[in-house]
Structures are given as structure tokens and as C-alpha cells.
Amino acid sequence: MSRWLTEAVPRGRVAAFRTLIYLFVAADLVVFTPWVRTRVAVPGELYQPLLVGRVLPLPTPTQTLVTVVFWALLLLALLAATGRAPRLLGWAVFALYFEWMIVAMSYGKVDHDRFGLLVALAVLPTAGRARHGDATRTEAGGWALRVTQIAVICTYFLAAWAKLRFGGLDWLTGSVLARAILRRGTELADLLASVPYLLIVAQFGIVAFELLSPVVFLLRERWRLATVGFFYSFHLVTVATITISFAPHLAAMTAFLPLERVRPVVWARRLLTRRGRDTGAPAGAAPALAGQASAAGRPDGP
């Protein structure tokens, strides 16, 4: 079991995953959760912190607190994405983002798509230094990725458990998806809803998929990547039909992917080099030397 948990992976994969996760945190602040800053306009007595917020305890959000967390987290996440000071910056980003989520989720609604991302932020500081393109293998980095993978799959499995625990078998045969389509469905969803019994079949399929998700750990790499591709396609259909985004979960799920093969900086350099060659002098053409006679019989140069 310990060997599986600490299966070594290339440091380049850890570096790529780290950069992606910290860049997502920065994007999350300005694209997905900027509404957290509006929480300070809500009366303080409506702030009902999660259990961890009561245990620590954390202060009631104020304009100053939320503003400081926002700007500090944005700056530190961008710095952490460079891979410098992975432990110091990593722990700081985790602590600030954890507080950001406590503020976001302490007013009556808790999103379960944040679990994998929070676990990734908690374990990345333990992975140590890693450079892009480094093929050297690391067990510490492998452990960080494995724990994130487990968190991602737990999100699926426990979601199915919650459906059956609170909704029972009625969740499978009820009108859950129909209500979701009525509230926020797209034209594609309306088209699918017109097919008899399709939504009921989809509800059975969703629960089966979530319950069977741990099987991904038993598959060989090729089939495991194909299964993760199916996971992504499931969320693509979810966005296209009922406009629910699981962006933080999708970012954490990249822990399954061989990210060391994705090197946009190297690709950009190669593209620029290729364009430079295409716009340069034809192959085999020698440059004219100063003082050499030109075709017109006059010497080139001054």
C-alpha cells in the first residue's frame, strides 16, 4: 500500500501540476469566485462558519480582512506558480485559500467541487522542488499527486453516497434532472428532456458512474487515462446541459494526467524558431560580403 501511495513520478509532472493549480487559484479569485468579496455586505449575524471555522476559531469577515486575503492570495499564487520557494509560498497559498473558502461557504451553501483542489493545495508544499521537463522521479511528488487523485475520486463516490443517503431510491427515479433543466437548462437540455425516460436513465447512470469511479485505480495506464477522459466528457455534458461548472474539481483531476508532456513554453520557442527560419534567407544562399561586386558591377557596402 505504501509503495502505491508513494509511486514515483517525474519531477516535471509535479512542476507542471503545481503551476497549473496555482494559476487556477489566481483565476478562481477573479473569474469564478469574485462574489466572495460581496459577503462583507451581508450582516455579520448571518455568518454561520463551517465546523472548522468554529473550531479554530476564525473571525467574522470584514471588508479589510477579505480585501487583504484577496490581494495577498492573488500575488502569492502567481509567485508560487513559478515554482520558487515551494514550501513557504505553498503553505501561505493554502492557508489564504482555505480562509477564502471558509468565507465563501459559511452563508448556507457548500460546494463539493472544491475538495480536490483544497487537498492539492495542502499536499503540494510537501512535494519539494521540481523543474519543468525534469525526468528525475520523486516519491514525495508521487505521494502529493496520489493523495489529490484519491480526493478527486472521493468527491465522486461520496456524492453518490449523499444522493442515496438523503434522497434514497427516489433520487434515481425522481425528477432531479428535470428540475435542474427547468432552473438553468440550455437548449440542448430541452432537446434531451423531450426524449421519454432519458432523464431517468441518466440519473441511474450518474449514480453508477460515481459509485464505480474508484475502479480507475485498478486500471492500466492507457485505460486509466481513457477513463479520466470520460470523467472530463461527463462534466462537459453537464456544462452544456445544466450549466454547472466543476472547474476546481477539473483542475485537481489533472493529477491523473502526464502533464510533463505538456510544455507550452518549449512549443512556443520551437514555433518562433520555425517562423524565423521560414522568413529567413533561402537555404544555400550565401550572404554578400562587404566589397564584393554585385550583379550590377558595383561593389556592395559603403
Side-chain angles (χ1 to χ4, degrees):
M1 184 66 177
S2 60
R3 181 179 301 179
W4 178 77
L5 283 172
T6 59
E7 182 180 359
V9 299
R11 293 184 183 274
R13 183 178 305 181
V14 177
F17 182 69
R18 172 181 287 149
T19 297
L20 187 151
I21 289 298
Y22 289 136
L23 287 180
F24 178 83
V25 168
D28 186 47
L29 293 175
V30 298
V31 177
F32 299 107
T33 60
W35 48 266
V36 176
R37 301 180 70 181
T38 66
R39 289 289 188 253
V40 297
V42 178
E45 55 269 19
L46 297 181
Y47 174 69
Q48 300 293 326
L50 303 175
L51 176 60
V52 65
R54 300 193 299 270
V55 170
L56 287 179
L58 297 175
T60 300
T62 63
Q63 180 71 48
T64 301
L65 174 66
V66 174
T67 300
V68 169
V69 170
F70 175 84
W71 288 109
L73 182 54
L74 182 61
L75 175 61
L76 293 179
L78 292 175
L79 290 175
T82 66
R84 298 181 181 276
R87 290 182 176 84
L88 177 62
L89 293 176
W91 289 122
V93 170
F94 169 68
L96 289 170
Y97 191 78
F98 188 75
E99 169 63 11
W100 186 256
M101 286 294 98
I102 294 296
V103 174
M105 307 301 168
S106 294
Y107 291 87
K109 181 177 181 292
V110 179
D111 297 330
H112 66 286
D113 63 341
R114 304 273 161 177
F115 179 60
L117 179 64
L118 280 167
V119 171
L121 292 174
V123 297
L124 270 175
T126 70
R129 294 187 176 275
R131 296 182 60 183
H132 290 272
D134 188 351
T136 306
R137 293 187 169 268
T138 166
E139 291 186 352
W143 180 83
L145 293 181
R146 183 70 77 198
V147 171
T148 303
Q149 293 170 3
I150 294 173
V152 167
I153 298 304
C154 282
T155 301
Y156 288 131
F157 187 83
L158 295 177
W161 174 258
K163 291 178 177 69
L164 297 176
R165 177 186 177 189
F166 297 104
L169 295 180
D170 290 340
W171 197 99
L172 300 171
T173 59
S175 56
V176 177
L177 289 181
R179 290 197 301 269
I181 290 173
L182 288 175
R183 285 181 298 143
R184 52 194 305 166
T186 64
E187 292 183 1
L188 175 60
D190 294 336
L191 181 64
L192 296 176
S194 64
V195 180
Y197 301 107
L198 180 59
L199 297 184
I200 300 298
V201 172
Q203 288 169 186
F204 273 90
I206 289 172
V207 172
F209 145 64
E210 291 175 336
L211 288 175
L212 294 173
S213 59
V215 174
V216 70
F217 291 120
L218 304 178
L219 303 177
R220 295 183 180 274
E221 182 178 6
R222 178 181 178 183
W223 291 105
R224 183 167 62 249
L225 292 177
T227 303
V228 172
F230 168 76
F231 292 169
Y232 276 104
S233 67
F234 167 78
H235 291 287
L236 178 62
V237 172
T238 301
V239 172
T241 53
I242 54 179
T243 61
I244 295 179
S245 170
F246 283 78
H249 177 80
L250 300 183
M253 194 158 60
T254 59
F256 282 100
L257 304 180
L259 294 177
E260 71 275 13
R261 303 177 188 174
V262 183
R263 303 190 62 188
V265 175
V266 174
W267 295 345
R269 289 175 180 171
R270 290 176 180 173
L271 181 62
L272 292 175
T273 302
R274 189 176 304 167
R275 286 184 177 180
R277 291 174 180 173
D278 293 341
T279 58
L289 300 177
Q292 181 178 354
S294 65
R298 295 187 297 271
D300 292 328

